[in-house]
C-alpha cells in the first residue's frame, strides 16, 4: 500500500498556510501572483539543475513521483520469506527453491537466491549484492541532495524577487496610491521562496532520504538472508540473525503478536 505521508504533509502544510492567511483577514488570491511564483519556482529549478547534471534533473522528475507514491515496505516483512526459503533449502537443497521464486515479490532477494542456485561463489555473491547496495546508497543520496539544494536556493531567490519588486516600487514614488499594492506584491516572492523551501523541497528531500533508508534496510536483510541460505544455516538462527539487523521499534509488532 502506498504511504500517504508526503501527500498529507505537503498538502496539509499548504492548507494550514491558506487558513492562517484567511484568519488574519488576508485574501489567499493575493498570494497567487504569477510573476513571483514563476520567478521563485523557475529560477530555483534552474539553479538546482546548474549545480548538477542533466541526468540528475531527469532523475528528479522520477523522484518527485517516487516521493509521493512510493510503497514503503518494512524490512520485517522480508524475514519470514527468508526463513521459509532457508527451511526449504535445508530440507531439499538449493535447487528446490527455484520453483518458489516467482511467488517472492522482492526482486533483490530473488536475484540473490537465483545466483545462489546457479552456484555463484559465496564471497563473489556477497560482493555483487553489496556493490548493488552501495550503488543504491549513492543514488538515494543524490536524489535527496537535489531537493535539499532546491530548498537552499529558494529563499534567496525569493529575496531577489522582493528586491526586484521594491525597485519597481521606487520607480513609482510619484504615485503614492499605487505603493501599497506594489510593496505587498514585492514580498510575495519572499513568501514563496521560504514557503516552497520549507513545505515542499526540503520535506521531499527528507522523504526520499527516508524511503532510501527503508529500502536499503530490506536489501541488507536480503544480503544476509541469501548468505545464510547458501550456507545451509539453521532457519531459527537465520531468523534471529535477521531480526538483529532491525531497529527495536520494528520488532515490537512481531513481539506483541507472539505474546
Amino acid at each position: 500500500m502506498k504511504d500517504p505521508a508526503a501527500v498529507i504533509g505537503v498538502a496539509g502544510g499548504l492548507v494550514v498556510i491558506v487558513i492562517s492567511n484567511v484568519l488574519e483577514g488576508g485574501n489567499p488570491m493575493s498570494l497567487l501572483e504569477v510573476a513571483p511564483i514563476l520567478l521563485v519556482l523557475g529560477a530555483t529549478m534552474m539553479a538546482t539543475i546548474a549545480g548538477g547534471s542533466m541526468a540528475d534533473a531527469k532523475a528528479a522528475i522520477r523522484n518527485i513521483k517516487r516521493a509521493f507514491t512510493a510503497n514503503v515496505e518494512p524490512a520485517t516483512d522480508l524475514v519470514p520469506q527468508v526463513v521459509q526459503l532457508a527451511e526449504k533449502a535445508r530440507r531439499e537443497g538449493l535447487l528446490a527453491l527455484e520453483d518458489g521464486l516467482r511467488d517472492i515479490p522482492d526482486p533483490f532477494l530473488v536475484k540473490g537466491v537465483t545466483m545462489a542456485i546457479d552456484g555463484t561463489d559465496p564471497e563473489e555473491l556477497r560482493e555483487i549484492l553489496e556493490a548493488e547496495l552501495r550503488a543504491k546508497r549513492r543514488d538515494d543520496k543524490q536524489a535527496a541532495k537535489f531537493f535539499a539544494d532546491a530548498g537552499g536556493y529558494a529563499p534567496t531567490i525569493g529575496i531577489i524577487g522582493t528586491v526586484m519588486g521594491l525597485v519597481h516600487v521606487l520607480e513609482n514614488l510619484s504615485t503614492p496610491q499605487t505603493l501599497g499594492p506594489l510593496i505587498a506584491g514585492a514580498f510575495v516572492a519572499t513568501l514563496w521562496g521560504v514557503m516552497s523551501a520549507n513545505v515542499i523541497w526540503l520535506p521531499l528531500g527528507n522523504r526520499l532520504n527516508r524511503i532510501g533508508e527503508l529500502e536499503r534496510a530490506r536489501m541488507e536483510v536480503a544480503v544476509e538472508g541469501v548468505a545464510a541460505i547458501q550456507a545451509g544455516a539453521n532457519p531459527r538462527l537465520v531468523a534471529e540473525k535477521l531480526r538483529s539487523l532491525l531497529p527495536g521499534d520494528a520488532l515490537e509488532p512481531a513481539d506483541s503478536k507472539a505474546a
Side-chain angles (χ1 to χ4, degrees):
M1 185 178 67
K2 292 180 175 61
D3 187 293
V7 175
I8 292 173
V10 172
L14 294 174
V15 168
V16 168
I17 290 172
V18 171
I19 292 175
S20 299
N21 179 260
V22 172
L23 292 177
E24 290 182 349
N27 180 5
M29 296 307 297
S30 65
L31 307 180
L32 299 178
E33 295 192 22
V34 175
I37 294 175
L38 178 62
L39 172 68
V40 171
L41 299 185
T44 295
M45 282 296 99
M46 294 303 103
T48 307
I49 291 172
S53 66
M54 286 308 300
D56 297 334
K58 292 176 182 177
I61 297 174
R62 297 192 299 270
N63 284 319
I64 289 177
K65 180 180 178 181
R66 178 177 168 227
F68 283 104
T69 64
N71 294 322
V72 184
E73 301 290 346
T76 48
D77 294 350
L78 210 58
V79 175
Q81 299 175 35
V82 173
V83 172
Q84 186 177 7
L85 291 172
E87 291 174 347
K88 188 171 183 179
R90 204 172 192 215
R91 289 195 314 266
E92 306 173 27
L94 282 174
L95 291 176
L97 302 180
E98 192 167 9
D99 293 337
L101 290 182
R102 64 176 64 92
D103 299 326
I104 298 177
D106 190 288
F108 187 70
L109 177 59
V110 170
K111 177 180 179 179
V113 175
T114 300
M115 293 176 68
I117 293 172
D118 292 341
T120 307
D121 180 78
E123 291 185 6
E124 291 183 356
L125 177 55
R126 176 179 284 274
E127 184 177 340
I128 291 170
L129 296 180
E130 289 183 345
E132 189 168 333
L133 181 56
R134 289 192 297 271
K136 167 72 172 168
R137 183 176 288 107
R138 288 194 298 269
D139 290 343
D140 291 339
K141 181 179 179 181
Q142 182 54 43
K145 181 180 180 298
F146 185 93
F147 293 100
D149 288 348
Y153 292 130
T156 303
I157 293 173
I159 293 173
I160 292 173
T162 296
V163 172
M164 290 171 57
L166 292 177
V167 169
H168 189 49
V169 169
L170 295 175
E171 292 174 344
N172 291 272
L173 290 179
S174 58
T175 54
Q177 66 274 15
T178 65
L179 295 183
L182 287 176
I183 293 173
F187 283 99
V188 171
T190 296
L191 171 65
W192 273 94
V194 175
M195 181 173 66
S196 63
N198 291 281
V199 181
I200 301 175
W201 307 129
L202 294 177
L204 288 184
N206 289 333
R207 164 77 169 173
L208 290 170
N209 230 340
R210 181 56 178 157
I211 291 172
E213 287 177 355
L214 294 172
E215 291 174 347
R216 293 194 303 273
R218 285 180 64 89
M219 293 174 74
E220 289 171 358
V221 168
V223 170
E224 297 301 327
V226 170
I229 290 170
Q230 194 174 28
N234 185 305
R236 182 173 298 179
L237 295 179
V238 172
E240 290 300 322
K241 182 177 182 180
L242 297 184
R243 286 169 63 80
S244 70
L245 298 174
L246 304 175
D249 56 348
L251 299 178
E252 288 177 3
D255 292 342
S256 62
K257 289 178 182 178

